[in-house]
Amino acid sequence: MTPPRRQPARRRTATYATVPLAVAALLGAAGPTAPGTTGAPGAGDPYFPLSGNGGYDVRHYDLTLGYDTGSRRLDGTAVLTARATQNLTRFDLDLKGLTVTAVTVDRTKADFRRDGQELVVTPRHALRRGREFRVTVAYHGTPKPVTDPDGSPDGWIPTDDGAFVAGEPQGAMTWFPANSHPRDKASYDFTITVPKGRTAVANGVLLGESTAHGRTTFRWRETQPMAAYLATATIGKFQVERYTTRGGLRVFNAVDAREARAAAPVLKKLPSVLEWESRLFGPYPFRAAGSVVDHAPGVGYALETQTRPLYSSAPDLDTLVHESAHQWFGDSVSLTAWKDIWLNEGFATYAEWLYAEQHGGPSAQKTFDALYARPASDALWAYPPGDPGSGKHLFGTPVYARGAMALHELRRAVGDRDFVRILRAWATGHRGGHGTTAQFVRLAEKESGKQLKGLFHTWLYTQGKPNSP
Ligand SMILES: [Zn+2]
């Protein structure tokens, strides 16, 4: 995401009643609910305790959506194919707002109730560990964004001609029921119907579009594993541009006419930016690429939605480089905990520094020096990037700038050749999966043959301005 977002805070927690014994007895042959057979309401992330859920792993989302841009009503059917990771008599999905009309598990009607952002599903028959199952949720309503702990809007954000749909970190649950934590990645199909004249843009490849009775349906498919927060279904009056790059990537750009003039020279550079990043980080991890440039003045940020970054206004080149770098760092290699956010933002920021260095701008060392010259009282040193402390600080300057400084210090310690080898090994070794800070530190030590724990401790975990670079 870029740029750093705004201010303050709120957090919610909820309590969970256990299934009453009488109900539990009806649930399956096992009789009363044994401990551990209900899926946890969160994925265990202390920054967002209710994001994601325990007890199952989603393999695929098939989302069928209809959006009326006039009334702002969304009609949705979500079909999730998942695998139980424990015996399950009950499990949660994340869904905030909206009205659920029916839930089935393997085509059998399931009981459900709402509890804050949790949609609690009780299947007719308990699910055995390892079993694949299919949940269908029918829902509708007027989606509204959530306000994140830093005060910024997140999720389905209505615009004057459609919706700007960006889900980091919590917003996926505002438009579809999900296991909404980056630990659980899945493939996606989207079928989105909007009034004729509007375009609905999701992730991956456009399979087709058809118009009937004044409405147009767009079918999109993302086959590569994707975290729920990186899904989009952005809708607007867009100018569309499609082409295939020399390397065979299918590019789809959608641009609001009000942003077109400013966006054109930057979007033209997308193929060369992706080529440059591929030379540095290894092969581009996806089959499709592109951009959505919306006109959403109230939003003020961009997001690295998978395969197709989303901008709330025409981006500058730095921002395009940043969101493109996230395709490797954040999208392909995903977080297991939001605390590790510097693995996304520090890397994408350092990609900007490297791009500038190799394209006639200041050297990364110069950028580092200018930042290091800031006084100890500067916001840059407010908290350590490897431990931001709460969801409120995910998108603050220390995560981006000091995170990039940590990578620059690594580069100085190991030399350019090993540094690039480390970045490539990280991107290729964890491609389509996950990575933690501890794993990155181990990899850097292994690739360079150097002891680096002290360096990372200083730059990622020490409070205040580090003593000397
Ligand atoms: Zn970013």
Side-chain angles (χ1 to χ4, degrees), residues 443-455:
L443 176 77
E445 291 193 327
K446 187 175 139 244
E447 292 288 330
S448 67
K450 290 198 158 70
Q451 297 281 329
L452 298 164
K453 286 196 185 64
L455 182 154

Side-chain angles (χ1 to χ4, degrees), residues 1-2 304 322-323 326 345 348 400:
M1 176 175 292
T2 170
E304 61 270 24
H322 178 109
E323 306 307 344
H326 272 309
E345 301 304 347
Y400 289 72

Side-chain angles (χ1 to χ4, degrees), residues 61-124:
Y61 292 86
D62 189 345
L63 306 178
T64 303
L65 309 171
Y67 191 60
D68 186 308
T69 49
S71 66
R72 295 184 169 178
R73 178 186 158 111
L74 177 73
D75 282 280
T77 303
V79 181
L80 284 64
T81 307
R83 194 177 55 83
T85 54
Q86 62 181 64
N87 291 337
L88 275 181
T89 52
R90 192 183 82 195
F91 60 89
D92 285 16
L93 299 168
D94 300 310
L95 184 69
K96 192 166 163 59
L98 305 171
T99 301
V100 174
T101 52
V103 178
T104 64
V105 174
D106 292 334
R107 295 205 197 90
T108 304
K109 240 178 125 174
D111 284 336
F112 64 91
R113 64 185 168 83
R114 308 295 297 275
D115 183 357
Q117 71 182 58
E118 302 298 306
L119 170 61
V120 183
V121 177
T122 305
R124 178 81 54 85

Side-chain angles (χ1 to χ4, degrees), residues 213-234:
H213 312 295
R215 285 157 69 80
T216 305
T217 298
F218 295 84
R219 290 186 303 118
W220 293 90
R221 174 169 291 166
E222 172 54 0
T223 54
Q224 304 291 108
M226 177 164 79
Y229 80 91
L230 296 169
T232 190
T234 293

